[in-house]
Amino acid sequence: MATAVFISPQEVYNYTVLSGNVDIDKLLPIILETQEQTIEEMLGSELYDKIYADFVANTLTGLYLELLNDYIKLVLRSQSAASYILISPYSVGNGGFFKRTYNGVETVDVKEVERVSQIYSSTAQMYINRFNKWIGLNPLPEYKTFQDEVNASKTITVTSTWYFGN
């Protein structure tokens, strides 16, 4: 089953440091994961499902279209870039887990990668905070902090740090 994403990889390339030669097959899963984790938590399941269904049907209008264009897309492109930057140097293949290096080029320190990723996470957080103000002024019936599935959260915090256990 195909899943629609609210932004294209091109939108991420156009508004972040990710270049157009980033492999779409590696970026699309990050966009989808960010959409399903960050955006659904931000909106709650009912509003997310409404936006998603109308987006797929190409029938978004009014406040819903404003929400998509002015908040969802901005959070999604920034947090997708942050997530991609954090994991892009690493791959898992038949040979195991490895970090790509190039002859004559200094490898980037993990702290530096985290710093660049955090820039985009901070940008995504700013857009989430703006969304919280906007939704307070533009109540939508599907936006609920208590529901059967994922509750909308006004305290969502996006982070981009490594955790390797103890």
Side-chain angles (χ1 to χ4, degrees), residues 17 84-90 98-119 162 164:
V17 297
Y84 184 83
I85 288 167
L86 195 58
I87 66 165
S88 65
Y90 303 95
F98 60 94
K99 180 178 180 180
R100 290 178 300 281
T101 60
Y102 301 95
N103 292 333
V105 176
E106 183 179 325
T107 58
V108 179
D109 180 59
V110 170
K111 293 281 186 201
E112 191 172 352
V113 171
E114 287 176 346
R115 185 173 50 83
V116 174
S117 175
Q118 189 58 42
I119 290 168
W162 294 98
F164 295 105

Side-chain angles (χ1 to χ4, degrees), residues 4 9 15 54 79 83 116 121 136 143 146 156:
Y15 296 100
D54 289 357
Q79 191 56 39
S83 297
V116 174
S121 283
Y143 182 77
F146 296 100
I156 185 172

Side-chain angles (χ1 to χ4, degrees), residues 139-157:
L140 298 172
E142 298 85 0
Y143 182 77
K144 298 175 184 167
T145 55
F146 296 100
Q147 55 198 305
D148 290 338
E149 295 180 36
V150 177
N151 293 328
S153 174
K154 288 193 176 252
T155 59
I156 185 172
T157 303

